Amino acid sequence: MLRAETGRDYKVKDISQADFGRLEIILAEVKILQRSMSGPRRWWTPEGFVSEETTTGVKRLYQMHANGTLLFSEETTTLRFDNLYGCRHSLPDGLMRATDIMTAGKIAVGCGYGDVGKGCAAALKAAGARVMVTEIDLICALQALMEGIPVLTQEDVVSEAGIFVTTTENENIIMVHHMKQMKNAAIVCNIGHFDKEIDMLDLEAYPGIKRITIKPQTDPWVFPETRRGIIILAERLLMNLGCATGHPSFVMSCSFTNQDAALHLGKPGDKFTKLTPEQAAYISVAAEGP
């Protein structure tokens, strides 16, 4: 039994391993701190280990680091693999399984052009959609422009697009007043934050609104005034999980085991170039790479 600075007592697997025992206490304390915070899904183990699953959750860890409550940190490859390449694969997978629509020729709006938005925009563009994005970050907006993607506001595109995908990790991105202006059968889905980007609560409470379930996770909602309907996928939750099976296992492995990047690179049969000692010294990195 070891005691944390907060006064809580913890059992450890092997008290003779003092450093490991202290690590278990730190992780257990982080577990308690994280449970007290609102945010996305996390996995908890009986030993107290915490593994953050989402980019928004990682931002919560940055907040904890800033205010001095985060007692440990770990490098992540979530941004480069999970968000970008995982979403590039699983967004069209979810769209096809849920609706079987023809994406080509449709105007598709990506709300946000961060790593998730970049993956989604690439997938939609490759399928022949006319992609547009909304963005609040000037750098991300410029990146979209350099890829030939128009950057507009929600108000500019709301009545024209046939597909809307929220990717921002923020809240209140697509509201009921946006939905009322959309084309009939416009598809609205979320692949960003867990459940806060699309205003389902006000949609469900809208007077006279009619929900028609085509199949699980695919629901047209018809407004009484216009008799036009929009199609909500996965009830505002993550559509690549609700309508498909999420990211491929290889992408997730790359995302969560960045220490074994060299092993992943060898899987497709590719080879990794190593620096000479002189090259490594010249740019101040290890010979194995940065």
Side-chain angles (χ1 to χ4, degrees):
M1 186 79 71
L2 290 177
R3 176 163 292 184
E5 293 182 2
T6 57
R8 298 186 184 91
D9 289 324
Y10 294 92
K11 292 180 181 179
V12 295
K13 292 176 180 176
D14 187 350
I15 201 167
S16 66
Q17 298 179 1
D19 289 338
F20 185 73
R22 280 192 289 271
L23 176 61
E24 283 195 296
I25 287 179
I26 289 172
L27 293 174
E29 291 288 289
V30 170
K31 170 184 172 182
I32 291 169
L33 286 168
Q34 287 279 65
R35 274 181 171 166
S36 68
M37 301 175 70
S38 62
R41 299 164 296 150
R42 302 172 178 86
W43 302 114
W44 309 102
T45 69
E47 293 82 8
F49 290 90
V50 55
S51 174
E52 183 47 66
E53 184 187 355
T54 66
T55 306
T56 305
V58 171
K59 290 183 177 180
R60 299 289 181 268
L61 297 183
Y62 279 123
Q63 291 172 359
M64 294 176 71
H65 180 268
N67 62 30
T69 58
L70 180 64
L71 302 179
F72 78 103
S73 63
E74 173 63 17
E75 183 185 3
T76 178
T77 47
T78 294
L79 294 177
R80 296 185 180 179
F81 291 95
D82 184 7
N83 287 1
L84 179 56
Y85 303 118
C87 292
R88 190 176 69 180
H89 172 92
S90 60
L91 171 72
D93 187 21
L95 281 173
M96 295 307 103
R97 295 194 196 207
T99 65
D100 200 27
I101 62 161
M102 172 66 82
T103 307
K106 286 184 170 56
I107 297 176
V109 175
C111 301
Y113 196 70
D115 288 288
V116 172
K118 288 179 175 68
C120 294
L124 292 166
K125 194 174 182 181
R130 293 175 287 164
V131 179
M132 303 176 182
V133 299
T134 66
E135 184 51 72
I136 54 92
D137 185 291
L138 292 176
I139 300 300
C140 291
L142 285 171
Q143 287 179 309
L145 288 176
M146 293 298 176
E147 293 293 337
I149 299 173
V151 181
L152 301 167
T153 68
Q154 193 92 289
E155 288 67 31
D156 292 327
V157 297
V158 68
S159 62
E160 302 296 326
I163 302 171
F164 294 85
V165 184
T166 59
T167 75
T168 70
E169 307 162 15
N170 209 328
E171 62 179 359
N172 301 335
I173 303 304
I174 294 182
M175 309 301 289
V176 170
H177 69 270
H178 294 129
M179 301 178 203
K180 287 180 65 177
Q181 300 175 61
M182 292 178 182
K183 295 166 59 174
N184 189 49
I187 296 169
V188 179
C189 61
N190 167 47
I191 198 172
H193 200 347
F194 181 58
D195 66 350
K196 294 185 178 296
E197 301 211 25
I198 299 171
D199 184 17
M200 283 296 295
L201 296 179
D202 286 338
L203 181 64
E204 291 168 349
Y206 192 89
I209 195 76
K210 184 178 181 181
R211 176 181 181 176
I212 306 168
T213 299
I214 297 176
K215 60 182 178 180
Q217 310 295 327
T218 306
D219 302 300
W221 294 75
V222 181
F223 288 96
E225 303 93 339
T226 61
R227 297 186 180 178
R228 292 199 307 265
I230 59 169
I231 301 174
I232 301 283
L233 301 187
E235 300 185 39
R236 80 174 174 182
L237 306 179
L238 297 172
M239 60 82 70
N240 56 332
L241 296 177
C243 301
T245 55
H247 299 342
S249 60
F250 183 75
V251 166
M252 302 308 291
S253 182
C254 288
S255 179
F256 295 148
T257 56
N258 54 305
Q259 297 92 342
D260 296 320
L263 297 178
H264 286 99
L265 187 65
K267 184 69 173 178
D270 296 303
K271 296 180 180 179
F272 186 60
T273 300
K274 288 190 176 182
L275 296 168
T276 66
E278 294 77 15
Q279 289 174 322
Y282 189 73
I283 58 175
S284 301
V285 301
E288 293 77 17

